[in-house]
Amino acid sequence: WKRDQSDSHVDRDHGAALLIRLAGVEEVDALWPVFADGMQECCRRSGGDITPDWLFMCCRRGEALLFVIDVDGLPKAALVARPEQWGPDRVLRLIAAAGTEMDRWLGELSDHRAFIDRLGISKVIFEGRKGWERVVPKARVLRHVYEVDLNHGR
């Protein structure tokens, strides 16, 4: 997907102009501060193996894609994602998401196929807390991540 391609339409429920776009690597430095606190919180809450610095550098080097969701001309959310090959399937792995007013854009993003169709994506993969099952009820759980504390009881 070329960075100058984007998909714009009007949000059915709120009448807002919604723009989903792929930021170019040259935009990452300017856009990242808008979402830095949210990416920090995303990484903290995930308890996983990603850091905001790693996300930033992946986007800056073009190793990951930075999608921006603008509502009424203002950036409201950012998604860090990477197209990957999982067996026979081309998937879009969502690594992190940050933003505000999720109720205004998440439903539209879920129904909006233009950007994933251009990438030849057949599935979207993401990891997250159990609460995402309520937000994305069509999602199927593929695996669980377990942690064993080796220092417990010392």
Side-chain angles (χ1 to χ4, degrees):
W1 198 30
K2 295 181 181 171
R3 71 167 187 86
D4 60 344
Q5 292 176 317
S6 60
D7 295 294
S8 179
H9 64 286
V10 175
D11 178 339
R12 294 186 293 267
D13 298 324
H14 300 94
L18 182 72
L19 176 69
I20 302 167
R21 65 187 183 90
L22 176 59
V25 293
E26 71 280 1
E27 294 179 90
V28 173
D29 286 346
L31 286 169
W32 196 261
V34 175
F35 302 108
D37 289 344
M39 291 295 178
Q40 175 76 35
E41 181 64 11
C42 174
C43 292
R44 186 195 67 75
R45 291 177 82 177
S46 76
D49 58 347
I50 60 172
T51 66
D53 292 339
W54 180 80
L55 292 170
F56 172 68
M57 291 308 296
C58 284
C59 291
R60 199 167 193 241
R61 291 188 302 251
E63 296 169 2
L65 305 173
L66 179 63
F67 288 97
V68 177
I69 294 97
D70 293 330
V71 178
D72 291 332
L74 299 173
K76 294 294 181 179
L79 304 171
V80 177
R82 186 172 52 215
E84 298 178 351
Q85 194 69 36
W86 282 36
D89 297 314
R90 183 102 168 123
V91 305
L92 184 65
R93 184 177 197 160
L94 299 180
I95 303 168
T100 60
E101 302 179 37
M102 185 169 46
D103 61 319
R104 293 184 72 183
W105 55 263
L106 185 62
E108 294 295 321
L109 182 66
S110 299
D111 294 336
H112 201 59
R113 302 260 333 198
F115 69 93
I116 59 174
D117 287 346
R118 287 190 190 115
L119 293 169
I121 300 298
S122 62
K123 297 178 181 177
V124 174
I125 304 290
F126 64 95
E127 295 178 25
R129 293 169 291 125
K130 191 159 179 64
W132 280 106
E133 291 176 14
R134 288 189 316 273
V135 178
V136 188
K138 294 185 213 176
R140 182 172 63 97
V141 176
L142 299 179
R143 62 183 173 208
H144 299 277
V145 177
Y146 298 92
E147 176 183 77
V148 177
D149 184 353
L150 299 177
N151 294 318
H152 183 71
R154 282 189 156 187

